[in-house]
Structures are given as structure tokens and as C-alpha cells.
Amino acid sequence: MHRSYLKTIFNSTLNTKFIIFILIQFLPLKDLNSEEWEENNLNIKFIENLNTTNLPKWEKLEINEEKYQQKIIWDKIEIKNDFIREDYNPNKDSNKLLERSRNSEDLTLGNKFRSVSRNLIYKGNLYPEMSFWIPSSFKHSKRFTYTLTGQLLGNPTNRTHKDDCTWDEFWTDCADSQFFFEATPVNTKYFSLGLNYSQQESFLGNRADGTWRDAGQAIGFQLKTNLNSSQGFSIIGNNLYNPYGKGGPNNKHPKLEETIQADLGRSYLFLYSKAWDLGKYFNSNSHSLMNLNAGFGNGRYKSAKEIETNWINLGKYEPIFSFGIALNKKFSIFTEYAGQYAGVGISLRPLNLPLTATFMLRDFQGSNQGIINCKNGDPENCRATIDSRLVFHF
């Protein structure tokens, strides 16, 4: 009986478990949790409210109504710029921008040296000349393309005239003038190539030749390049071709009946230039510079003894040099040995223009150049004279 009772309880328990299992299959577990059920019921009601009570209300607008037909009027608005000065000139400022663009090459070069004939350009500043007869070898600056030079020699540099001329004699019998024009149409990243033109015979006083045909024109060239930022090299030909055939023979004296009008001498120069930045001195905003030009030349760049023997055209190459110091971008001093001409000088740029004035003192008593420059070819007859010139770049 006891066994029969246990069996009845076991069967009853199984039936109860089976009923619970069936209920679980039809009722979700989370519905049995009252809190979750209430929250879910609230969410369902919120969504129903959104779908019914909060729907947007659309209204049809009549575009023909007058209030929607107003015209839009565009009015000109004057903008006042308080930052524009009263002296503002747009044309003037545009010219400044153009000038800056022309100078951009020099401004971006940093510490690189450039030349314009015998002037140097450094850190955007145009410096005075560093020599009188010997050109600089640095690549030509793109800031300027053309150079005009007019110069006056203090004596005629020949044996028939005295050197100690009075003021009146200077203008009538002693002074000798020349004019030069230089153009550099080819100026690449690596080199510059230009032409030079010279008018070599005087237009002043009794020594003036009078006609254009007799002015002693001659044409040459100048090829320049930078070896690095502060060193340059150049090959220059001066007075090589005379269009009227009056340049005289090469490396020998002309015959007595031969007419000569180009007397500065056919010359080739092979030159090296070196420049140094010395820093800012003398309360100047521009740097002080030191410059050396050295190399070999022939023609009038030969020694006085060689010129006396074989005249002034071409011939033997001999060493030449110049050494200059620019205190700032306004003033420089130099010494130079250029064959027939040797001396000391100064160069000035007093104005804010690309205009330079240069003066050289030469033919001191006893100088070797006296055998061709001074009266009777006697160095003791030399009386120091001053050569001068004006140079304009554009």
C-alpha cells in the first residue's frame, strides 16, 4: 500500500510539471514580470499618441495673396573701409607690386650675390661699383636688363699731352669721353649672356671727332655665371668688332697711313669674383661687403710695357685684379690694376635711384703706366688725374 501511495504522488507531480510546461510555451516570460509589462504598456501608448494626436497639420497657401507678391528690390550697399588711408592710390600700389615682382628674384636669392656691370646686388640691395675698368663676374641680376654709362677720362692717356691741365685746358685739350651701353637679353637660372656697345672717341672740346662714323663704335659680349652663392666666373669680350673697319690691327702697331677710331683695344677677359658679407656696421640697415675680382686679360688690360711693344689690340694675357669694400649700399672704396689703368677710387649711390657715380685717381708720379699715359713716356712726368663716370641701370 505504501508503494501504491508513492506511485500516486509521483504521477500527480508529473502531471503538475506537464501543465506548467504547457503554460510557459503560450505565455512570454517577460509578461510574467509586472514591472516590465507596465513599462512596455506605457511605451505602446506613447507611440499610439504620436501616431494620432501629434500628426502635422497641413495648410494650403494661396500664392495669389498680395502679401506674397511683394517685389524684391536690390539696393547698392556702399562698404566703407576705415583701414584705407586718405593718400591711398591704387595705381601707385599696383606699380609697387610690379616692382616687387621684378625684384622677387633678388629677394628670394637669400645670400647669393649678383652683378649689374660693375655693381653688386645682395639681399635685394643695389651696391655701388667695386672697380672702374674690371667687370664683376657674378651672374647678371634679373632686376635690371640695360646699363648706360658715360665716362670722362681726366687726360688723353698719350705721350703728346701733358697731364697737369688747367680747368680750361681740361675741357678743350685734355679730357676724353666714352659712352657704353650694355644689354643682357639672355638670363637663365645658370648663366647670363649679354652684349656691350662702346663709343670710344671723344665728343668734347678740340679732341672731338665730330661725326658718328668716326665715333669708334665697337661691339662685344659678356658671359657670366655663379660657381656658388659667393663666387662667380665670367668670359668677357670688349670692343671686338668695329662696324666701320677702323679698329686697327691685332697685336701690332698700325701703319702711319692707317685711320684708327676705336682706341680702347680689343680685349678678352677671364675673370673670377669672390664676395664676403662683413655684417652691418656704421649704423646702416644694409650689410658691408668685400669684393675681389681677379683673372687675366689682354688688349688694353695688358701691362703698359706690353702695350708699348705690341699696341692695344689682343696679344698676350696678363694678370689683373680689383679689390673693393662697400661700407653700405651707398658708398664703396676700391683699388684696381687693369693693365694700362691702375689706381684707387670711390663709388657713390646718394639717391634712391639705380644711379651710380664713380671716381678713380690714377697715374701717380712714377707709376709704371706712365710709359704710355704720361708726357714723353716718362713716369716722372705723370701728374695724378681723376677719371669719372655716371652709370644708370634700368
Side-chain angles (χ1 to χ4, degrees):
M1 183 176 178
H2 179 70
R3 186 177 297 177
S4 174
Y5 176 75
L6 291 174
K7 183 177 181 181
T8 301
I9 293 175
F10 177 77
N11 290 335
S12 176
T13 302
L14 288 176
N15 291 336
T16 303
K17 289 181 177 180
F18 178 79
I19 292 171
I20 293 173
F21 175 78
I22 295 300
L23 290 174
I24 290 174
Q25 303 306 312
F26 291 96
L27 292 177
L29 287 177
K30 69 177 181 177
D31 289 346
L32 299 179
N33 187 312
S34 61
E35 293 182 359
E36 290 185 1
W37 183 87
E38 289 178 1
E39 182 180 355
N40 184 64
N41 190 39
L42 289 175
N43 291 337
I44 293 172
K45 290 182 178 180
F46 177 75
I47 294 172
E48 289 177 350
N49 290 333
L50 285 177
N51 293 333
T52 57
T53 61
N54 294 331
L55 287 174
K57 296 180 180 180
W58 299 96
E59 180 181 358
K60 183 178 180 181
L61 297 178
E62 298 294 337
I63 60 174
N64 293 326
E65 293 183 14
E66 183 177 352
K67 63 179 180 179
Y68 298 108
Q69 297 296 319
Q70 295 178 357
K71 294 182 179 180
I72 298 176
I73 301 176
W74 296 94
D75 292 330
K76 182 178 180 181
I77 300 175
E78 181 179 355
I79 300 176
K80 295 183 179 181
N81 192 342
D82 296 333
F83 295 99
I84 298 179
R85 306 184 312 272
E86 294 181 359
D87 60 346
Y88 172 75
N89 186 335
N91 293 329
K92 181 178 179 181
D93 284 5
S94 63
N95 291 335
K96 288 182 178 180
L97 289 174
L98 179 61
E99 182 66 21
R100 288 174 184 173
S101 66
R102 290 175 179 173
N103 299 342
S104 61
E105 185 252 358
D106 295 315
L107 295 175
T108 57
L109 284 175
N111 296 332
K112 290 185 178 180
F113 286 89
R114 291 289 186 261
S115 71
V116 189
S117 192
R118 292 159 181 81
N119 295 77
L120 292 184
I121 289 184
Y122 181 66
K123 290 184 178 292
N125 293 317
L126 175 65
Y127 282 79
E129 293 189 303
M130 294 292 198
S131 59
F132 199 94
W133 290 99
I134 300 177
S136 174
S137 294
F138 293 110
K139 190 175 88 71
H140 192 92
S141 170
K142 292 183 179 179
R143 183 173 172 182
F144 303 103
T145 303
Y146 308 103
T147 298
L148 283 175
T149 302
Q151 67 185 29
L152 190 65
L153 304 186
N155 66 27
T157 63
N158 64 52
R159 299 175 179 181
T160 62
H161 289 73
K162 62 179 182 178
D163 291 339
D164 53 340
C165 299
T166 65
W167 182 253
D168 291 336
E169 291 173 331
F170 177 83
W171 295 107
T172 58
D173 298 315
C174 295
D176 193 10
S177 62
Q178 291 99 29
F179 301 92
F180 305 93
F181 175 71
E182 300 170 62
T184 307
V186 179
N187 201 339
T188 72
K189 180 180 179 180
Y190 302 102
F191 69 90
S192 60
L193 178 61
L195 299 175
N196 54 61
Y197 163 85
S198 62
Q199 174 270 306
Q200 303 171 40
E201 294 297 330
S202 180
F203 284 162
L204 300 176
N206 295 337
R207 302 190 69 247
D209 295 283
T211 66
W212 181 257
R213 184 181 181 87
D214 296 326
Q217 299 99 337
I219 300 171
F221 73 92
Q222 45 198 12
L223 176 64
K224 299 181 177 183
T225 187
N226 268 46
L227 302 177
N228 55 34
S229 61
S230 62
Q231 299 181 79
F233 176 77
S234 66
I235 302 174
I236 297 173
N238 287 332
N239 315 313
L240 299 180
Y241 171 71
N242 181 274
Y244 300 107
K246 297 182 179 181
N250 292 327
N251 204 31
K252 65 179 180 180
H253 287 273
K255 298 177 181 179
L256 293 178
E257 66 276 9
E258 190 171 0
T259 302
I260 304 299
Q261 293 295 340
D263 63 354
L264 290 184
R266 296 188 189 98
S267 308
Y268 285 103
L269 305 175
F270 297 87
L271 297 172
Y272 164 82
S273 294
K274 170 68 177 177
W276 295 266
D277 182 348
L278 302 179
K280 292 183 179 180
Y281 296 97
F282 310 105
N283 296 321
S284 174
N285 292 327
S286 56
H287 292 240
S288 297
L289 305 179
M290 186 165 63
N291 174 232
L292 171 68
N293 301 313
F296 297 90
N298 62 5
R300 194 175 284 272
Y301 293 86
K302 299 178 296 189
S303 66
K305 183 177 180 180
E306 184 66 23
I307 292 176
E308 181 187 32
T309 303
N310 296 310
W311 206 50
I312 58 174
N313 283 341
L314 301 181
K316 181 181 178 180
Y317 287 92
E318 297 196 36
I320 56 176
F321 76 92
S322 67
F323 179 78
I325 296 177
L327 304 184
N328 49 47
K329 65 180 181 180
K330 297 291 186 180
F331 179 79
S332 68
I333 57 177
F334 61 86
T335 182
E336 178 179 63
Y337 171 76
Q340 182 179 355
Y341 299 106
V344 296
I346 63 172
S347 186
L348 308 169
R349 287 195 58 247
L351 305 176
N352 290 326
L353 295 172
L355 181 68
T356 306
T358 304
F359 307 89
M360 186 174 78
L361 185 67
R362 60 173 174 85
D363 287 354
F364 305 100
Q365 186 175 11
S367 64
N368 291 332
Q369 287 71 30
I371 61 176
I372 54 174
N373 288 353
C374 301
K375 189 175 182 179
N376 300 325
D378 184 357
E380 295 304 315
N381 288 334
C382 292
R383 299 293 183 268
T385 189
I386 297 177
D387 298 336
S388 58
R389 70 155 163 254
L390 287 176
V391 182
F392 182 72
H393 307 292
F394 58 100

